[in-house]
Amino acid sequence: MTLAVRVPEELSARVPVEQRGPGLERDAVRMLVSRGAEVAHHTFRELPLLLRAGDLLVVNTSATLAAAVDGWTGHTRVVVHFSTRGDDGRWAVELREPDGRGTTRARSGGPAGREVCLPGGVGLVLEEPLSGRGERLWWARVSGAGVPELLREYGRPVRYAYTERDQPLSAYQTVFALPSADGTGSAEMPSAARPFTARLVAELVSRGVLFAPVTLHTGVASAEAHEPPYPERFAVPEASARLIEAARAGGGRVVAVGTTAVRAVESAVGADGAVRARAGWTDLVVTPERGVRVVDGLLTGLHEPEASHLLMLEAVAGRVAVERGYEAALQGRYLWHEFGDVHLVLPSVRP
């Protein structure tokens, strides 16, 4: 899906909301609410008023990694974005080049055998492209240290040119983030959950809203080419599967917090339509043609009009809702990207 709109540069959220003025917290972002073609404007703090007892929020517990590391290939400086750890110990990586403004721009990754020198005596060798789609991401072998240790010591969060300055890793962690035992996580923040605060979660729980944690480790997005998502590692625990099925049986709405949560839950649906515990890799791409089988609503950020995320949004909400929502977001001067405002899509007809 492509929308015939252009997002003005000034609508990119350049810093987190809590840095835009005194007394602001993460939940101070604005929230556009779509129910079919109907659009309303709220702040995120009003979320408890828009949900009801028995509704269930599916949240991603993946922690964000400091996934960007400076390196050298020959005499050329590069920045390595560590995307995904493979089952064989290799990592999918993206090589980028510094742009002189503290961020990076795209560059070719290959050829196979290219060596990259990283801090602390760590070496990296590109072996093969991740897929036949292109050569942006490569499987690479790392020697000299473990990647989690390398990232903790020398890494920083992946940052794109629309942001104003580097932020600490804490700015990219959500309230739901849990470190994994093997040190893996998300190359980019599961940002739809960023506006949640502990206080807001407590209020939602006190009103009878349920939470089902899942995990999906996000890889490095295609900032320039808007490629569809690559396979990603996910897990839907048994307890969460039961919570989701209980909410559905009781008439509650299943609202995914972020496209990552949609991908995880929809990947755990069996042939009979029931959600069961499942873990591994998912290559599911949710489109309007495929549709969604479990998710009733979606809380998500505002994405570029060409982004593949919009296909998932259309699968949940329908094309008219997406078009009306984005038109209203532009007219209302909502802010885009991971530090920006959010969009809540709810069913147009309440059961």
Side-chain angles (χ1 to χ4, degrees):
M1 178 182 186
T2 300
L3 295 180
V5 298
R6 185 185 67 85
V7 180
E9 185 177 342
E10 64 269 19
L11 294 187
S12 293
R14 297 176 60 79
V15 297
V17 63
E18 61 270 25
Q19 297 177 17
R20 295 180 207 148
L24 295 179
E25 296 185 37
R26 290 185 176 206
D27 58 8
V29 296
R30 301 168 68 195
M31 181 170 63
L32 186 76
V33 179
S34 293
R35 293 187 179 92
E38 177 190 344
V39 177
H41 302 277
H42 295 268
T43 65
F44 191 74
R45 287 175 180 162
E46 296 175 282
L47 180 64
L49 304 178
L50 298 168
L51 300 177
R52 58 176 186 255
D55 285 345
L56 181 141
L57 294 171
V58 181
V59 296
N60 187 359
T61 63
S62 180
T64 308
L65 301 175
V69 180
D70 293 323
W72 294 86
T73 175
H75 297 291
T76 303
R77 186 183 166 207
V78 295
V79 178
V80 180
H81 288 175
F82 285 85
S83 182
T84 305
R85 182 180 64 81
D87 293 334
D88 59 1
R90 296 186 299 175
W91 279 75
V93 302
E94 179 186 24
L95 264 60
R96 296 180 64 91
E97 62 183 38
D99 62 3
R101 301 191 302 270
T103 53
T104 62
R105 53 178 168 254
R107 57 157 289 156
S108 60
R114 181 185 294 276
E115 299 181 2
V116 181
C117 295
L118 298 172
V122 176
L124 179 151
V125 179
L126 301 182
E127 294 192 345
E128 60 182 333
L130 185 64
S131 80
R133 285 189 212 155
E135 297 192 356
R136 182 176 69 89
L137 291 172
W138 283 70
W139 285 117
R141 189 78 60 180
V142 179
S143 61
V147 171
E149 293 77 19
L150 174 74
L151 301 186
R152 282 196 294 269
E153 183 71 20
Y154 299 105
R156 62 184 180 276
V158 170
R159 176 190 159 207
Y160 293 112
Y162 50 77
T163 56
E164 184 174 291
R165 57 182 177 270
D166 285 345
Q167 297 287 342
L169 184 59
S170 59
Y172 291 88
Q173 302 294 8
T174 74
V175 72
F176 305 110
L178 295 171
S180 61
D182 61 1
T184 55
S186 288
E188 297 182 4
M189 171 176 54
S191 56
R194 191 182 191 279
F196 283 90
T197 62
R199 179 185 60 196
L200 190 68
V201 171
E203 182 178 351
L204 287 163
V205 170
S206 72
R207 290 173 174 266
V209 176
L210 306 171
F211 287 82
V214 299
T215 301
L216 186 137
H217 295 317
T218 65
V220 177
S222 171
E224 290 84 16
H226 303 290
E227 301 163 354
Y230 286 87
E232 293 169 318
R233 193 187 301 272
F234 83 105
V236 175
E238 176 68 30
S240 294
R242 291 181 179 179
L243 278 169
I244 293 168
E245 286 302 299
R248 296 172 74 192
R253 297 170 295 183
V254 176
V255 179
V257 178
T259 56
T260 61
V262 177
R263 196 181 200 196
V265 168
E266 293 290 329
S267 297
V269 182
D272 59 355
V275 177
R276 294 182 177 86
R278 189 177 172 196
W281 291 86
T282 176
D283 59 1
L284 175 66
V285 179
V286 178
T287 64
E289 292 73 28
R290 188 269 184 190
V292 288
R293 303 174 67 185
V294 174
V295 171
D296 301 306
L298 173 61
L299 175 70
T300 183
L302 294 165
H303 300 289
E304 292 290 351
E306 301 87 358
S308 62
H309 296 284
L310 292 182
L311 291 173
M312 181 183 290
L313 190 55
E314 184 181 351
V316 176
R319 188 177 183 93
V320 172
V322 177
E323 290 175 341
R324 295 281 177 85
Y326 270 66
E327 179 183 348
L330 287 168
Q331 291 178 348
R333 310 290 291 176
Y334 279 69
L335 296 181
W336 256 249
H337 302 303
E338 67 266 32
F339 296 139
D341 298 315
V342 292
H343 185 191
L344 175 64
V345 175
L346 294 173
S348 55
V349 178
R350 297 189 177 191

